[in-house]
Amino acid sequence: MAPKKVIIDTDPGADDVIAMLLALASSPEELEVVMISVTYGNVALESCLRNVVGMFNVLDHEMEWRNAQGKPLGFEGLRTYKPIVAVGPEHALEDEMLMADNFHGADGLHGVHEKHPHLSPADTWKALFKEGLPDETEDPSYLKYFTPSKTPAHKEILRILKEEPADTISVCVLGPLTNLALAASEDPETFLRVKEVAVMGGAVEVEGNVTPVAEFNTYADAVSAARVFALTSPNPASTMPPIPKDKSTLPPYPEKLSRRLNLSLFPLDITTPHLLNMGFFLEKIEPQLAGNSPLGTWVNTFMDGIFRQIGSMVGTDVEPGLSLHDPLTIWYMLTGSDPAWKLAKNAPEDIRIETSGQWTHGMHVSDRRGRTRPDGVTAFEVPGDEDGWLSLRRGNRINRYVSSPGEMVFAPFLMERLFG
Protein backbone atom coordinates (compact mmCIF):
# COMPACT_ATOMS: atom_id res chain seq x y z
CA MET A 1 0.00 0.00 0.00
CA ALA A 2 1.32 3.44 -0.92
CA PRO A 3 2.22 5.57 2.10
CA LYS A 4 0.71 8.92 2.95
CA LYS A 5 3.06 11.65 1.76
CA VAL A 6 3.44 14.44 4.29
CA ILE A 7 5.17 17.78 4.67
CA ILE A 8 5.88 18.70 8.30
CA ASP A 9 5.92 22.45 8.97
CA THR A 10 7.56 22.91 12.34
CA ASP A 11 9.16 25.21 14.92
CA PRO A 12 11.01 22.73 17.18
CA GLY A 13 10.37 22.81 20.25
CA ALA A 14 10.34 19.59 22.27
CA ASP A 15 6.95 18.29 21.23
CA ASP A 16 7.72 19.19 17.60
CA VAL A 17 10.82 16.99 17.80
CA ILE A 18 8.77 14.16 19.29
CA ALA A 19 6.26 14.56 16.46
CA MET A 20 9.01 14.38 13.82
CA LEU A 21 10.57 11.35 15.51
CA LEU A 22 7.19 9.60 15.44
CA ALA A 23 6.83 10.33 11.74
CA LEU A 24 10.34 9.10 10.96
CA ALA A 25 9.76 5.97 13.06
CA SER A 26 6.75 4.99 10.96
CA SER A 27 6.89 2.15 8.48
CA PRO A 28 7.54 2.92 4.79
CA GLU A 29 3.99 1.75 4.07
CA GLU A 30 2.51 4.27 6.54
CA LEU A 31 4.18 7.62 5.94
CA GLU A 32 6.69 9.23 3.64
CA VAL A 33 8.01 12.50 5.03
CA VAL A 34 8.80 14.36 1.81
CA MET A 35 9.78 17.66 3.43
CA ILE A 36 10.39 19.37 6.74
CA SER A 37 9.77 23.11 6.44
CA VAL A 38 11.22 25.03 9.35
CA THR A 39 9.70 28.18 10.78
CA TYR A 40 10.32 30.44 13.77
CA GLY A 41 8.09 29.98 16.79
CA ASN A 42 9.00 28.30 20.07
CA VAL A 43 12.45 29.90 19.64
CA ALA A 44 14.26 31.93 16.97
CA LEU A 45 14.51 30.46 13.47
CA GLU A 46 18.19 29.51 13.63
CA SER A 47 17.64 27.59 16.86
CA CYS A 48 14.65 25.78 15.33
CA LEU A 49 16.75 24.78 12.32
CA ARG A 50 19.64 23.68 14.54
CA ASN A 51 17.23 21.42 16.41
CA VAL A 52 16.11 19.75 13.18
CA VAL A 53 19.69 19.14 12.06
CA GLY A 54 20.55 18.04 15.59
CA MET A 55 17.73 15.51 15.53
CA PHE A 56 19.06 13.90 12.36
CA ASN A 57 22.57 13.90 13.82
CA VAL A 58 21.35 12.11 16.94
CA LEU A 59 19.41 9.61 14.84
CA ASP A 60 22.60 8.89 12.89
CA HIS A 61 24.38 8.12 16.18
CA GLU A 62 21.39 6.07 17.33
CA MET A 63 21.41 3.89 14.21
CA GLU A 64 25.13 3.19 14.74
CA TRP A 65 24.52 2.37 18.41
CA ARG A 66 21.59 0.04 17.73
CA ASN A 67 23.55 -1.73 15.02
CA ALA A 68 26.56 -2.21 17.33
CA GLN A 69 24.26 -3.51 20.09
CA GLY A 70 22.55 -5.95 17.73
CA LYS A 71 19.22 -4.21 18.33
CA PRO A 72 16.48 -3.72 15.73
CA LEU A 73 17.22 -0.43 14.00
CA GLY A 74 13.60 0.72 13.79
CA PHE A 75 12.97 4.09 12.16
CA GLU A 76 12.22 2.49 8.82
CA GLY A 77 10.78 5.71 7.45
CA LEU A 78 14.03 7.50 8.27
CA ARG A 79 16.06 4.82 6.50
CA THR A 80 13.79 4.52 3.46
CA TYR A 81 13.01 8.10 2.48
CA LYS A 82 15.08 11.28 2.38
CA PRO A 83 13.07 14.46 3.03
CA ILE A 84 14.04 17.94 1.97
CA VAL A 85 14.71 20.38 4.80
CA ALA A 86 14.06 24.03 3.94
CA VAL A 87 13.81 27.22 5.94
CA GLY A 88 11.13 29.92 6.14
CA PRO A 89 11.10 33.54 7.36
CA GLU A 90 12.34 34.70 10.74
CA HIS A 91 9.15 36.39 11.89
CA ALA A 92 5.41 36.72 11.35
CA LEU A 93 3.93 38.39 8.28
CA GLU A 94 3.14 41.69 9.99
CA ASP A 95 5.21 41.64 13.15
CA GLU A 96 8.99 41.68 13.33
CA MET A 97 9.01 40.72 16.99
CA LEU A 98 9.40 37.03 17.80
CA MET A 99 6.81 35.96 20.35
CA ALA A 100 8.89 33.10 21.80
CA ASP A 101 7.05 31.10 24.42
CA ASN A 102 10.09 30.24 26.66
CA PHE A 103 8.43 26.95 27.63
CA HIS A 104 11.06 24.95 25.75
CA GLY A 105 14.12 26.78 27.04
CA ALA A 106 16.36 29.28 25.27
CA ASP A 107 17.40 26.84 22.52
CA GLY A 108 14.04 25.08 22.23
CA LEU A 109 15.32 21.85 23.80
CA HIS A 110 16.31 22.89 27.33
CA GLY A 111 20.03 23.19 26.70
CA VAL A 112 20.53 19.76 25.13
CA HIS A 113 23.25 21.02 22.76
CA GLU A 114 25.38 22.40 25.57
CA LYS A 115 24.82 19.39 27.83
CA HIS A 116 25.67 16.86 25.13
CA PRO A 117 27.94 18.57 22.60
CA HIS A 118 29.06 15.17 21.25
CA LEU A 119 25.48 14.67 20.03
CA SER A 120 25.21 18.10 18.40
CA PRO A 121 26.27 18.85 14.82
CA ALA A 122 29.34 20.97 14.12
CA ASP A 123 28.54 24.63 13.45
CA THR A 124 29.33 24.11 9.79
CA TRP A 125 25.72 22.84 9.43
CA LYS A 126 24.72 26.44 8.74
CA ALA A 127 26.47 26.32 5.35
CA LEU A 128 23.98 23.67 4.27
CA PHE A 129 21.28 26.34 4.12
CA LYS A 130 23.14 29.58 3.34
CA GLU A 131 25.61 30.58 0.67
CA GLY A 132 28.99 32.02 1.57
CA LEU A 133 29.55 30.22 4.88
CA PRO A 134 32.49 27.90 5.64
CA ASP A 135 31.57 24.24 5.32
CA GLU A 136 33.14 20.84 5.84
CA THR A 137 35.32 19.24 3.17
CA GLU A 138 33.26 16.06 3.49
CA ASP A 139 29.53 15.77 3.92
CA PRO A 140 28.57 14.98 7.52
CA SER A 141 27.27 11.46 8.06
CA TYR A 142 23.78 12.63 9.01
CA LEU A 143 23.23 14.00 5.49
CA LYS A 144 22.33 10.49 4.37
CA TYR A 145 18.96 11.13 6.02
CA PHE A 146 17.89 14.48 4.53
CA THR A 147 18.56 16.89 1.68
CA PRO A 148 19.18 20.51 2.71
CA SER A 149 17.70 23.23 0.51
CA LYS A 150 18.72 26.86 0.12
CA THR A 151 15.37 27.65 -1.50
CA PRO A 152 12.79 29.33 0.79
CA ALA A 153 10.50 26.78 2.42
CA HIS A 154 7.27 28.11 0.91
CA LYS A 155 8.72 27.80 -2.61
CA GLU A 156 9.75 24.20 -1.93
CA ILE A 157 6.22 23.48 -0.69
CA LEU A 158 4.81 24.84 -3.95
CA ARG A 159 7.31 22.92 -6.05
CA ILE A 160 6.36 19.63 -4.38
CA LEU A 161 2.63 20.32 -4.69
CA LYS A 162 3.09 21.18 -8.38
CA GLU A 163 5.20 18.11 -9.18
CA GLU A 164 3.10 15.58 -7.27
CA PRO A 165 -0.45 14.64 -8.34
CA ALA A 166 -3.21 16.66 -6.71
CA ASP A 167 -4.56 15.24 -3.45
CA THR A 168 -1.45 13.20 -2.67
CA ILE A 169 0.43 15.55 -0.31
CA SER A 170 -0.78 16.39 3.19
CA VAL A 171 0.76 19.04 5.44
CA CYS A 172 1.08 18.77 9.23
CA VAL A 173 1.41 22.24 10.73
CA LEU A 174 3.13 22.21 14.12
CA GLY A 175 3.97 25.92 14.41
CA PRO A 176 2.89 29.36 13.15
CA LEU A 177 1.33 29.21 9.67
CA THR A 178 3.65 31.73 8.01
CA ASN A 179 5.19 29.30 5.50
CA LEU A 180 1.76 28.13 4.38
CA ALA A 181 0.40 31.67 4.10
CA LEU A 182 3.33 32.65 1.88
CA ALA A 183 2.85 29.60 -0.33
CA ALA A 184 -0.90 30.19 -0.60
CA SER A 185 -0.39 33.84 -1.49
CA GLU A 186 2.24 33.21 -4.14
CA ASP A 187 0.29 30.51 -5.98
CA PRO A 188 -3.11 29.72 -4.45
CA GLU A 189 -4.16 27.23 -7.12
CA THR A 190 -1.01 25.17 -6.68
CA PHE A 191 -1.37 25.37 -2.90
CA LEU A 192 -4.93 24.06 -3.15
CA ARG A 193 -3.64 20.86 -4.75
CA VAL A 194 -2.86 19.76 -1.17
CA LYS A 195 -4.87 16.79 0.06
CA GLU A 196 -5.26 18.01 3.65
CA VAL A 197 -3.72 20.52 6.02
CA ALA A 198 -3.72 19.23 9.60
CA VAL A 199 -3.18 22.18 11.95
CA MET A 200 -2.21 21.95 15.59
CA GLY A 201 -3.45 25.28 16.85
CA GLY A 202 -6.10 27.31 18.56
CA ALA A 203 -8.40 27.03 21.54
CA VAL A 204 -12.07 26.79 20.61
CA GLU A 205 -14.04 25.85 23.74
CA VAL A 206 -11.19 25.98 26.26
CA GLU A 207 -8.86 28.69 27.53
CA GLY A 208 -5.71 29.64 25.64
CA ASN A 209 -2.16 28.86 26.71
CA VAL A 210 -0.47 32.17 25.86
CA THR A 211 -3.37 34.54 26.59
CA PRO A 212 -6.77 33.81 28.16
CA VAL A 213 -8.18 33.08 24.68
CA ALA A 214 -5.27 32.32 22.34
CA GLU A 215 -2.99 29.36 21.71
CA PHE A 216 0.67 30.06 20.91
CA ASN A 217 0.94 28.92 17.27
CA THR A 218 -2.02 31.03 16.18
CA TYR A 219 -1.06 33.97 18.37
CA ALA A 220 2.46 34.03 16.91
CA ASP A 221 1.09 34.82 13.43
CA ALA A 222 -2.65 35.35 13.55
CA VAL A 223 -2.72 37.00 10.12
CA SER A 224 -1.18 33.94 8.48
CA ALA A 225 -3.63 31.66 10.26
CA ALA A 226 -6.56 33.83 9.18
CA ARG A 227 -5.40 33.80 5.55
CA VAL A 228 -4.98 30.03 5.46
CA PHE A 229 -8.32 29.42 7.19
CA ALA A 230 -10.00 31.73 4.66
CA LEU A 231 -9.17 29.28 1.88
CA THR A 232 -11.72 26.87 3.39
CA SER A 233 -14.49 29.38 2.68
CA PRO A 234 -16.78 29.44 -0.36
CA ASN A 235 -15.84 33.13 -0.42
CA PRO A 236 -12.34 33.67 1.07
CA ALA A 237 -12.78 37.46 1.05
CA SER A 238 -15.52 37.08 3.67
CA THR A 239 -13.07 36.03 6.40
CA MET A 240 -9.78 37.57 5.28
CA PRO A 241 -8.01 39.73 7.90
CA PRO A 242 -8.30 43.51 7.55
CA ILE A 243 -5.37 45.23 5.87
CA PRO A 244 -3.48 47.28 8.48
CA LYS A 245 -2.37 50.80 7.68
CA ASP A 246 1.32 51.47 6.99
CA LYS A 247 2.24 47.76 6.94
CA SER A 248 3.20 45.62 4.01
CA THR A 249 0.73 42.84 3.48
CA LEU A 250 0.10 39.99 1.10
CA PRO A 251 -2.43 40.61 -1.67
CA PRO A 252 -5.99 39.25 -1.60
CA TYR A 253 -6.74 35.92 -3.23
CA PRO A 254 -8.31 35.82 -6.70
CA GLU A 255 -12.10 36.16 -6.66
CA LYS A 256 -12.57 32.68 -8.11
CA LEU A 257 -10.59 29.63 -7.01
CA SER A 258 -11.02 26.12 -8.37
CA ARG A 259 -11.52 24.45 -5.00
CA ARG A 260 -11.56 24.95 -1.23
CA LEU A 261 -8.88 23.98 1.25
CA ASN A 262 -9.46 20.84 3.32
CA LEU A 263 -8.27 21.89 6.79
CA SER A 264 -8.39 19.63 9.84
CA LEU A 265 -7.96 21.40 13.18
CA PHE A 266 -6.46 19.94 16.36
CA PRO A 267 -6.83 22.68 18.97
CA LEU A 268 -5.93 22.61 22.65
CA ASP A 269 -9.39 21.18 23.30
CA ILE A 270 -8.28 17.78 21.99
CA THR A 271 -4.48 17.91 22.32
CA THR A 272 -4.12 18.95 25.97
CA PRO A 273 -5.58 15.75 27.54
CA HIS A 274 -3.16 13.52 25.58
CA LEU A 275 -0.38 13.40 28.17
CA LEU A 276 3.05 11.86 28.39
CA ASN A 277 3.34 11.67 32.17
CA MET A 278 6.70 11.86 33.90
CA GLY A 279 6.47 8.52 35.72
CA PHE A 280 5.57 6.58 32.58
CA PHE A 281 8.27 8.34 30.56
CA LEU A 282 10.97 7.60 33.15
CA GLU A 283 9.94 3.95 33.29
CA LYS A 284 10.28 3.59 29.54
CA ILE A 285 13.42 5.68 29.10
CA GLU A 286 15.44 4.06 31.93
CA PRO A 287 16.56 1.01 29.89
CA GLN A 288 17.67 3.34 27.10
CA LEU A 289 19.77 5.40 29.50
CA ALA A 290 21.23 2.28 31.08
CA GLY A 291 22.43 1.17 27.66
CA ASN A 292 23.74 4.64 26.70
CA SER A 293 21.32 5.11 23.82
CA PRO A 294 22.16 8.41 22.08
CA LEU A 295 18.50 9.07 21.29
CA GLY A 296 17.40 8.11 24.80
CA THR A 297 20.02 10.39 26.33
CA TRP A 298 19.09 13.30 24.06
CA VAL A 299 15.33 13.00 24.52
CA ASN A 300 15.64 12.47 28.28
CA THR A 301 17.63 15.69 28.60
CA PHE A 302 15.01 17.97 27.13
CA MET A 303 12.14 16.02 28.68
CA ASP A 304 13.75 16.49 32.09
CA GLY A 305 13.72 20.23 31.45
CA ILE A 306 10.10 20.07 30.32
CA PHE A 307 8.98 18.16 33.41
CA ARG A 308 10.81 20.57 35.71
CA GLN A 309 9.16 23.49 33.93
CA ILE A 310 5.71 21.92 34.22
CA GLY A 311 6.35 21.03 37.86
CA SER A 312 7.07 24.66 38.65
CA MET A 313 3.71 25.56 37.09
CA VAL A 314 1.42 22.88 38.57
CA GLY A 315 3.05 22.36 41.97
CA THR A 316 4.06 19.20 43.80
CA ASP A 317 0.59 17.70 44.19
CA VAL A 318 0.19 16.95 40.47
CA GLU A 319 2.36 14.61 38.42
CA PRO A 320 3.99 16.60 35.59
CA GLY A 321 2.84 15.56 32.14
CA LEU A 322 3.66 16.92 28.69
CA SER A 323 0.59 17.50 26.53
CA LEU A 324 1.39 15.87 23.18
CA HIS A 325 0.05 18.77 21.13
CA ASP A 326 2.12 18.45 17.97
CA PRO A 327 2.56 14.65 17.92
CA LEU A 328 -1.23 14.26 17.82
CA THR A 329 -1.32 15.46 14.20
CA ILE A 330 1.19 12.74 13.24
CA TRP A 331 -0.84 10.12 15.11
CA TYR A 332 -3.83 11.27 13.09
CA MET A 333 -1.86 10.83 9.86
CA LEU A 334 -0.95 7.30 10.95
CA THR A 335 -4.38 6.24 12.23
CA GLY A 336 -6.86 8.66 10.64
CA SER A 337 -9.03 5.83 9.29
CA ASP A 338 -9.86 4.76 12.85
CA PRO A 339 -13.53 5.67 13.48
CA ALA A 340 -12.56 6.85 16.97
CA TRP A 341 -11.32 10.07 15.34
CA LYS A 342 -14.49 12.15 15.48
CA LEU A 343 -15.32 15.62 14.25
CA ALA A 344 -17.27 18.25 16.14
CA LYS A 345 -21.04 17.80 15.98
CA ASN A 346 -21.63 20.61 13.51
CA ALA A 347 -18.54 20.14 11.38
CA PRO A 348 -17.44 21.74 9.22
CA GLU A 349 -17.58 24.78 11.51
CA ASP A 350 -17.19 28.45 10.73
CA ILE A 351 -14.14 29.20 12.89
CA ARG A 352 -12.39 32.50 12.26
CA ILE A 353 -9.15 34.02 13.55
CA GLU A 354 -9.14 37.36 15.37
CA THR A 355 -6.22 39.45 14.10
CA SER A 356 -6.79 42.96 15.43
CA GLY A 357 -8.26 42.70 18.92
CA GLN A 358 -6.24 44.26 21.72
CA TRP A 359 -6.95 41.39 24.11
CA THR A 360 -8.23 38.73 21.70
CA HIS A 361 -5.43 38.56 19.13
CA GLY A 362 -5.17 34.98 17.87
CA MET A 363 -8.53 33.90 19.27
CA HIS A 364 -10.54 31.23 17.42
CA VAL A 365 -14.01 32.76 17.10
CA SER A 366 -17.17 30.79 16.39
CA ASP A 367 -20.88 31.57 16.69
CA ARG A 368 -22.20 29.81 19.80
CA ARG A 369 -25.68 31.35 19.72
CA GLY A 370 -27.32 28.20 18.41
CA ARG A 371 -29.09 29.92 15.53
CA THR A 372 -30.41 28.02 12.50
CA ARG A 373 -28.72 28.21 9.12
CA PRO A 374 -30.73 28.57 5.89
CA ASP A 375 -31.88 25.37 4.24
CA GLY A 376 -29.81 25.89 1.08
CA VAL A 377 -32.88 25.46 -1.10
CA THR A 378 -35.10 28.46 -0.54
CA ALA A 379 -32.39 30.63 1.05
CA PHE A 380 -28.61 30.82 1.42
CA GLU A 381 -28.41 33.95 3.57
CA VAL A 382 -30.21 35.28 6.65
CA PRO A 383 -31.42 38.92 6.59
CA GLY A 384 -29.39 41.10 8.94
CA ASP A 385 -26.51 38.59 9.18
CA GLU A 386 -23.96 41.13 7.97
CA ASP A 387 -20.91 39.12 8.97
CA GLY A 388 -22.18 35.93 7.39
CA TRP A 389 -22.08 33.67 10.44
CA LEU A 390 -25.19 31.84 9.20
CA SER A 391 -24.41 32.17 5.51
CA LEU A 392 -23.98 29.15 3.25
CA ARG A 393 -21.89 31.26 0.89
CA ARG A 394 -19.56 32.99 3.36
CA GLY A 395 -17.55 32.00 6.41
CA ASN A 396 -14.89 29.34 6.95
CA ARG A 397 -15.40 25.56 6.86
CA ILE A 398 -13.11 23.94 9.43
CA ASN A 399 -13.03 20.23 10.30
CA ARG A 400 -12.33 20.31 14.04
CA TYR A 401 -11.50 17.02 15.70
CA VAL A 402 -12.86 16.43 19.19
CA SER A 403 -11.88 12.81 19.94
CA SER A 404 -9.10 10.33 19.14
CA PRO A 405 -8.54 6.58 19.56
CA GLY A 406 -7.79 7.31 23.23
CA GLU A 407 -6.12 9.83 25.49
CA MET A 408 -4.45 7.04 27.50
CA VAL A 409 -3.46 5.06 24.39
CA PHE A 410 -1.26 7.57 22.66
CA ALA A 411 1.72 7.85 25.03
CA PRO A 412 2.36 4.04 25.09
CA PHE A 413 2.01 3.96 21.28
CA LEU A 414 4.50 6.82 20.96
CA MET A 415 7.15 5.42 23.30
CA GLU A 416 6.88 1.96 21.72
CA ARG A 417 7.43 3.44 18.26
CA LEU A 418 10.45 5.48 19.33
CA PHE A 419 12.20 3.07 21.68
CA GLY A 420 10.66 -0.36 21.17
Side-chain angles (χ1 to χ4, degrees):
M1 186 175 68
K4 286 186 177 179
K5 295 185 175 184
V6 298
I7 293 170
I8 299 176
D9 191 66
T10 179
D11 62 330
D15 61 327
D16 298 70
V17 167
I18 293 171
M20 288 187 287
L21 289 172
L22 178 58
L24 295 170
S26 63
S27 76
E29 295 76 31
E30 290 176 316
L31 288 185
E32 176 186 350
V33 180
V34 297
M35 177 182 175
I36 295 173
S37 57
V38 184
T39 184
Y40 67 91
N42 288 309
V43 287
L45 181 65
E46 184 172 295
S47 294
C48 289
L49 182 57
R50 183 189 190 191
N51 292 341
V52 172
V53 177
M55 176 190 70
F56 281 108
N57 185 56
V58 168
L59 286 170
D60 188 37
H61 285 285
E62 180 73 5
M63 293 302 101
E64 293 179 0
W65 176 80
R66 291 187 184 187
N67 186 56
Q69 297 288 319
K71 296 178 178 292
L73 295 180
F75 285 91
E76 291 183 73
L78 170 77
R79 295 183 289 116
T80 303
Y81 304 114
K82 191 175 183 180
I84 292 166
V85 175
V87 191
E90 295 185 0
H91 54 76
L93 287 183
E94 295 176 355
D95 193 343
E96 295 187 1
M97 288 184 64
L98 174 68
M99 303 302 294
D101 66 0
N102 300 314
F103 180 77
H104 299 263
D107 65 351
L109 294 176
H110 282 278
V112 72
H113 301 290
E114 286 67 34
K115 292 173 183 174
H116 301 290
H118 65 293
L119 295 178
S120 294
D123 280 345
T124 49
W125 67 264
K126 298 175 185 178
L128 299 172
F129 302 95
K130 285 186 179 179
E131 300 286 357
L133 296 177
D135 57 6
E136 298 187 29
T137 54
E138 295 184 8
D139 285 345
S141 179
Y142 57 74
L143 268 188
K144 67 168 84 64
Y145 296 120
F146 73 93
T147 300
S149 173
K150 294 175 182 175
T151 301
H154 77 279
K155 292 183 179 293
E156 287 285 17
I157 291 172
L158 289 172
R159 180 188 63 77
I160 292 169
L161 290 172
K162 188 173 291 186
E163 292 178 357
E164 295 289 335
D167 293 317
T168 59
I169 300 290
S170 297
V171 181
C172 289
V173 183
L174 313 183
L177 279 83
T178 315
N179 282 331
L180 270 67
L182 290 170
S185 175
E186 182 165 317
D187 190 345
E189 288 292 353
T190 294
F191 181 74
L192 289 172
R193 290 167 61 87
V194 69
K195 180 179 181 180
E196 180 179 16
V197 174
V199 176
M200 187 281 120
V204 180
E205 297 178 347
V206 298
E207 65 274 12
N209 62 1
V210 68
T211 75
V213 296
E215 173 274 334
F216 175 79
N217 287 345
T218 308
Y219 184 84
D221 194 349
V223 170
S224 285
R227 290 184 62 95
V228 173
F229 277 41
L231 287 172
T232 70
S233 174
N235 178 10
S238 67
T239 61
M240 284 281 279
I243 299 174
K245 295 180 180 180
D246 304 323
K247 282 191 176 182
S248 62
T249 187
L250 299 179
Y253 296 124
E255 286 189 19
K256 291 189 179 297
L257 293 169
S258 63
R259 58 192 291 183
R260 299 206 299 258
L261 178 65
N262 176 24
L263 190 150
S264 298
L265 183 64
F266 299 84
L268 296 180
D269 311 51
I270 184 173
T271 63
T272 300
H274 290 78
L275 293 171
L276 176 56
N277 286 319
M278 183 173 71
F280 176 76
F281 173 80
L282 294 176
E283 174 190 335
K284 295 299 180 182
I285 204 69
E286 194 279 330
Q288 308 300 317
L289 299 178
N292 294 314
S293 156
L295 181 62
T297 300
W298 197 68
V299 171
N300 182 67
T301 299
F302 65 72
M303 287 300 297
D304 177 68
I306 288 284
F307 288 136
R308 283 189 283 106
Q309 178 86 0
I310 295 171
S312 70
M313 296 162 60
V314 302
T316 57
D317 295 334
V318 179
E319 180 184 12
L322 173 66
S323 289
L324 296 168
H325 301 297
D326 295 332
L328 200 71
T329 64
I330 303 298
W331 194 29
Y332 167 74
M333 286 292 157
L334 290 168
T335 64
S337 61
D338 190 323
W341 290 103
K342 294 188 185 302
L343 292 168
K345 180 181 178 181
N346 296 318
E349 299 172 291
D350 184 2
I351 299 174
R352 309 182 191 183
I353 308 299
E354 176 58 58
T355 60
S356 55
Q358 180 179 4
W359 311 117
T360 56
H361 180 86
M363 181 179 181
H364 281 51
V365 182
S366 59
D367 190 344
R368 303 183 189 181
R369 291 174 286 182
R371 300 182 297 167
T372 303
R373 287 181 177 273
D375 59 16
V377 178
T378 60
F380 293 85
E381 301 276 355
V382 172
D385 181 28
E386 294 183 3
D387 295 323
W389 288 103
L390 300 177
S391 172
L392 300 182
R393 292 173 171 162
R394 295 178 288 162
N396 294 334
R397 303 291 185 268
I398 305 298
N399 294 312
R400 175 170 65 100
Y401 279 88
V402 296
S403 70
S404 75
E407 295 170 3
M408 304 302 294
V409 174
F410 186 30
F413 174 91
L414 171 71
M415 294 298 287
E416 175 69 21
R417 284 292 181 106
L418 299 193
F419 299 107

